[in-house]
Amino acid sequence: MTEQERSLFEAPPIAEQERMVEAILFASPEPVTVAELERRMPHGCDPAEALAYLRRRYEGRGVRVVRVGDGHAFRTAPDLGHLMAREVVETRKLSRAAIETLAIIAYHQPATRAEIEEIRGVAVSRGTIDQLIEMEWIRFGRRRMTPGRPVTFVVTEAFLDHFGLESARDLPGLKELRSAGLLDNRPLPGAMGRGPDADDPDGDEAPGQTELFED
Amino acid sequence: MTEQERSLFEAPPIAEQERMVEAILFASPEPVTVAELERRMPHGCDPAEALAYLRRRYEGRGVRVVRVGDGHAFRTAPDLGHLMAREVVETRKLSRAAIETLAIIAYHQPATRAEIEEIRGVAVSRGTIDQLIEMEWIRFGRRRMTPGRPVTFVVTEAFLDHFGLESARDLPGLKELRSAGLLDNRPLPGAMGRGPDADDPDGDEAPGQTELFED
Amino acid sequence: MAATGADDWDGMTPERVAERRAAEALIVDVDGFEGPLDLLLTLSRTQKVDLRRISVLQLAEQYLSFVDRAKALRIELAADYLVMAAWLAFLKSRLLLPPDPAEAGPSAEDLAAHLAFQLERLAAMREAAARLMARDQKGRDFFARGAPDDRGVVRHVRWTASLLDLMQAYARIRTKDEFRPFVMDRHHVYTMDEALDRMRGLIGFAGDWTDLASYLPEGWTADPARRRSATAATFAATLELAKRGLVELRQSETFAPISIRRKDP
């Protein structure tokens, strides 16, 4: 075996092995056993030793290397647990009724309950509105100055944040939805757009190519 | 105020703050902003400074502190990626059109569909934009204040995170492209300009959604 | 295959065969091109010069001969390829002819420079895209924290929805909406029957030529939508009356005001 060949089969320095263990433990969703480390690391490595170095390095730090069953994992230091007490949220999809109600409010705000019902064609349950208000995605707007002075609903900052919008006006119009394939491409009898920009025939993006030929 | 009371209101030493930041960042798979750190840490802490220490401490280690948009996160060192092969989730294959569209949005953002088409010389297919939105790599930006008020697209923080970028300004070769004029929106000579200069950031006045219901 | 010899080539000469094969080789690639600009960019590579100093004239010729060959092979080229060909033919002729001082608009050189710019920009974006994809990527080259840290966590159910959900929901409702029975907005519509009734009452007085517009009912002239509706209905009613031989119509030229008068029996 030549010098060069030997070096190809030589294990990396222990400091490098320590880095490897560090990265693997960090990225792994489960605690990792020494055997598993050995399988993953280059031939000739000594994961148990690297692990010992790593464990010592993290002593007293904000996170530590701990043994969990047969495996090893990073865990935050117990004395800092109070900082981790964050609200972890289990996300579940909103119901169809809630999404539709929300969409109508976003596109037509301020919208009254009667308007929402007119557009959806069914009654809006009280729970749906309550849920959206509780989520802080909608709030009460001004009362409509029509008989009965109904309350209106508008979307909130939190709503815009969640959907990555700067304003509700940035929601794509019907025409854009259609061109993105999100809306069936059927002819509209007496189409009512949702605003002047939605159905403005000039609002259509001229495909780049045709522009070459204008002069 | 007694000695004990005062110490209760004093910020912990910076080394302790560093541990706190370390624990919080370690535990979070998503980037954490300085504002969020400040909310979680005791009154009087200086998370930005603690973060700077932490960042230095991890230089050259198996995991590093990286900046992603407004947030900070631990990420494994890229040179160790090969050890992590097991964790790799097959990312969906992007088409050439999707990759180019993504690059154009990243480098020209905010970019309208028409601009993307002008640069590529072909229409952007329906699914391409959808796919990029679904992957959460692009989102809607402000509408362009030009005729038709087209929607614009910008890249997201998840995009920056995925490609290990601190901000869109760190895109490779951005400066060179800009100084070579290759990011200019140069209209065909003699044609009507549709430049970003027509953009009036504050003239953002609201046609749109609200009007349908007013009478 | 080789044993059957050249006879199988439908009596074509070997030159024709080679020519056709060469052309086909190029055409096979048509599908691979993403539009005319992409094709032009590929053709420009044969010039092996900086895109800024490219010969647009030469490029135009290459493109046109490519399109000609495609046509000779009866390959259907998408319309935008043909539109580009027409534009390049125009540009080529302008580049070859001495400039006409009387002609307004951008010079042929400006147009050529713009095309060169577009190609350079496309090439630059391609390269940028390649550099972007060559970067270390999360989940492939570097990784986020793998294990969720559950300690001290307060679990909450958060209801959520994506932007796509929202847009699709809206699209769904609007689509349904569009298929509701269509109800006319009567408030702003003046019907022909209404117009006929009104005209019948008034026509008796119109012994002389009178502008049709003066027959519009009160309250229907200010609002443009109402005015349009009333004008259309009144005009239709007038035609009906003319058909019945009750009135005569006159218009001095296209778009001039229309006048009517009673037709005496």
Side-chain angles (χ1 to χ4, degrees):
Chain A
M1 203 182 246
T2 68
E3 184 67 29
Q4 204 191 8
E5 275 170 347
R6 201 166 17 249
S7 83
L8 273 176
F9 289 100
E10 248 166 41
I14 192 71
E16 188 58 22
Q17 295 185 33
E18 196 194 316
R19 286 183 75 225
M20 292 176 175
V21 174
E22 188 177 33
I24 293 171
L25 291 196
F26 174 81
S28 171
E30 308 288 337
V32 186
T33 62
V34 171
E36 173 68 17
L37 286 170
E38 203 157 354
R39 256 197 303 284
R40 293 223 216 157
M41 289 163 71
H43 188 74
C45 283
D46 184 347
E49 198 192 344
L51 201 56
Y53 277 107
L54 192 68
R55 186 189 281 260
R56 220 163 307 141
R57 180 186 293 273
Y58 276 93
E59 261 165 30
R61 307 284 324 144
V63 294
R64 311 175 309 160
V65 180
V66 298
R67 201 186 160 97
V68 184
D70 288 340
H72 300 265
F74 277 114
R75 292 284 183 263
T76 49
D79 65 306
L80 298 177
H82 63 284
L83 298 175
M84 305 303 130
R86 63 192 198 282
E87 317 211 327
V88 158
V89 282
E90 215 173 280
T91 48
R92 282 189 219 162
K93 279 253 175 220
L94 270 180
S95 68
R96 179 173 165 153
I99 292 180
E100 287 185 5
T101 303
L102 181 64
I104 291 167
I105 294 170
Y107 275 91
H108 297 275
Q109 65 170 345
T112 66
R113 190 196 195 91
E115 285 159 356
I116 297 164
E117 293 181 340
E118 188 187 319
I119 294 176
R120 283 197 67 219
V122 283
V124 175
S125 87
R126 173 154 198 131
T128 303
I129 296 273
D130 285 353
Q131 185 186 20
L132 293 172
I133 290 177
E134 207 171 286
M135 292 172 74
E136 300 187 337
W137 277 1
I138 65 169
R139 60 176 176 80
F140 293 106
R142 284 162 166 268
R143 282 182 183 276
R144 182 65 51 80
M145 297 310 282
T146 48
R149 306 188 69 242
V151 293
T152 63
F153 300 100
V154 296
V155 293
T156 62
E157 281 288 308
F159 165 89
L160 298 176
D161 257 14
H162 179 90
F163 290 98
L165 297 164
E166 292 200 27
S167 84
R169 291 192 302 273
D170 292 329
L171 280 167
L174 277 188
K175 189 170 188 126
E176 287 150 345
L177 291 177
R178 192 172 290 119
S179 74
L182 292 168
L183 183 53
D184 283 346
N185 220 348
R186 287 181 248 180
L188 321 180
M192 303 271 163
R194 65 174 179 80
D197 54 339
D199 277 301
D200 177 359
D202 294 327
D204 206 0
E205 317 268 21
Q209 211 48 62
T210 58
E211 259 156 44
L212 266 178
F213 307 102
E214 281 167 14
D215 45 12
Chain B
M1 205 184 247
T2 68
E3 186 66 29
Q4 203 192 9
E5 272 172 349
R6 195 162 27 247
S7 83
L8 274 177
F9 289 100
E10 249 166 39
I14 192 73
E16 190 56 23
Q17 294 186 30
E18 196 193 316
R19 286 184 74 227
M20 292 176 173
V21 174
E22 186 177 33
I24 294 171
L25 290 198
F26 231 92
S28 170
E30 307 296 329
V32 183
T33 62
V34 170
E36 172 68 18
L37 287 171
E38 206 157 353
R39 253 196 305 283
R40 295 227 216 146
M41 289 163 69
H43 187 75
C45 283
D46 184 348
E49 199 192 344
L51 204 57
Y53 279 108
L54 190 70
R55 197 178 181 129
R56 226 165 300 143
R57 179 184 297 272
Y58 276 91
E59 265 166 26
R61 308 283 324 142
V63 295
R64 316 175 302 163
V65 180
V66 299
R67 195 194 162 103
V68 181
D70 289 337
H72 299 266
F74 273 109
R75 296 287 181 256
T76 61
D79 66 305
L80 301 175
H82 61 283
L83 299 174
M84 247 61 72
R86 275 151 196 280
E87 256 77 72
V88 173
V89 193
E90 260 311 304
T91 45
R92 205 161 15 139
K93 262 269 181 220
L94 280 179
S95 66
R96 174 172 152 186
I99 292 171
E100 284 181 20
T101 301
L102 178 65
I104 291 168
I105 292 169
Y107 282 83
H108 288 81
Q109 66 170 345
T112 66
R113 193 192 191 94
E115 285 159 359
I116 298 163
E117 293 182 334
E118 190 180 313
I119 293 172
R120 295 197 63 233
V122 280
V124 174
S125 87
R126 285 177 165 201
T128 303
I129 296 273
D130 275 8
Q131 189 186 12
L132 294 173
I133 290 179
E134 213 168 276
M135 294 175 80
E136 299 188 337
W137 280 0
I138 65 169
R139 63 172 178 84
F140 295 103
R142 274 166 172 265
R143 284 178 184 278
R144 183 65 52 80
M145 295 311 288
T146 48
R149 306 186 69 244
V151 293
T152 62
F153 300 98
V154 296
V155 291
T156 62
E157 200 140 289
F159 164 88
L160 298 177
D161 191 14
H162 184 90
F163 290 99
L165 293 162
E166 288 197 7
S167 77
R169 285 187 299 277
D170 299 317
L171 284 163
L174 185 72
K175 239 180 257 164
E176 294 83 340
L177 288 169
R178 185 172 293 139
S179 63
L182 290 170
L183 300 183
D184 296 352
N185 196 338
R186 212 181 284 176
L188 180 69
M192 295 294 279
R194 189 207 34 221
D197 9 298
D199 218 349
D200 171 8
D202 283 320
D204 219 349
E205 250 338 291
Q209 291 86 311
T210 55
E211 287 183 9
L212 248 189
F213 274 126
E214 275 162 19
D215 38 16
Chain C
M1 208 39 202
T4 57
D7 297 342
D8 280 341
W9 293 93
D10 295 338
M12 281 183 174
T13 63
E15 294 80 58
R16 283 279 287 137
V17 172
E19 206 174 279
R20 184 167 158 168
R21 275 182 150 172
E24 271 169 355
L26 248 180
I27 296 308
V28 169
D29 280 341
V30 168
D31 281 347
F33 290 117
E34 301 215 355
L37 267 192
D38 187 26
L39 172 56
L40 277 168
L41 191 57
T42 307
L43 292 173
S44 72
R45 300 277 186 231
T46 61
Q47 292 191 27
K48 293 194 172 98
V49 291
D50 185 336
L51 279 171
R52 250 169 279 208
R53 286 179 296 133
I54 201 164
S55 162
V56 169
L57 185 57
Q58 193 187 331
L59 190 59
E61 278 164 357
Q62 282 174 288
Y63 186 96
L64 292 171
S65 81
F66 175 90
V67 171
D68 282 345
R69 262 178 294 167
K71 277 189 192 150
L73 284 165
R74 298 172 191 234
I75 301 282
E76 291 273 338
L77 280 179
D80 46 352
Y81 286 87
L82 301 178
V83 175
M84 176 61 93
W87 187 76
L88 285 173
F90 159 76
L91 179 59
K92 185 181 141 186
S93 68
R94 297 254 330 246
L95 285 168
L96 290 171
L97 292 172
D100 179 355
E103 193 161 298
S107 72
E109 281 72 26
D110 288 344
L111 295 175
H114 186 73
L115 180 61
F117 166 74
Q118 284 181 297
L119 293 177
E120 196 190 351
R121 183 172 60 179
L122 180 59
M125 275 300 113
R126 291 257 160 97
E127 199 191 314
R131 283 167 80 178
L132 186 65
M133 297 314 283
R135 284 183 71 83
D136 292 329
Q137 294 182 37
K138 189 169 93 172
R140 189 187 74 183
D141 305 297
F142 63 89
F143 295 81
R145 175 71 201 254
D149 200 319
D150 285 352
R151 270 174 343 93
V153 154
V154 185
R155 286 210 171 273
H156 276 281
V157 173
R158 183 194 279 166
W159 299 95
T160 187
S162 72
L163 188 55
L164 274 184
D165 294 334
L166 191 73
M167 296 186 312
Q168 270 160 347
Y170 187 68
R172 193 168 58 223
I173 305 164
R174 297 309 305 195
T175 311
K176 182 177 67 187
D177 198 45
E178 284 149 16
F179 286 90
R180 278 193 317 189
F182 186 62
V183 182
M184 281 284 263
D185 171 2
R186 299 242 162 230
H187 185 61
H188 291 300
V189 174
Y190 191 63
T191 66
M192 190 177 118
D193 286 339
E194 286 173 291
L196 262 180
D197 282 348
R198 182 178 162 79
M199 297 288 287
R200 272 200 210 96
L202 292 175
I203 194 71
F205 304 103
D208 212 344
W209 290 109
T210 320
D211 190 342
L212 183 68
S214 62
Y215 285 91
L216 296 189
E218 234 173 85
W220 286 82
T221 50
D223 180 272
R226 285 166 71 86
R227 184 187 174 83
R228 203 158 45 235
S229 175
T231 306
T234 305
F235 180 61
T238 312
L239 292 180
E240 182 61 29
L241 291 174
K243 201 170 99 188
R244 295 185 200 167
L246 297 175
V247 299
E248 289 180 297
L249 293 174
R250 186 178 78 173
Q251 186 181 31
S252 54
E253 58 182 338
T254 318
F255 299 124
I258 295 168
S259 307
I260 60 174
R261 77 173 168 193
R262 189 182 63 219
K263 191 173 182 185
D264 291 317

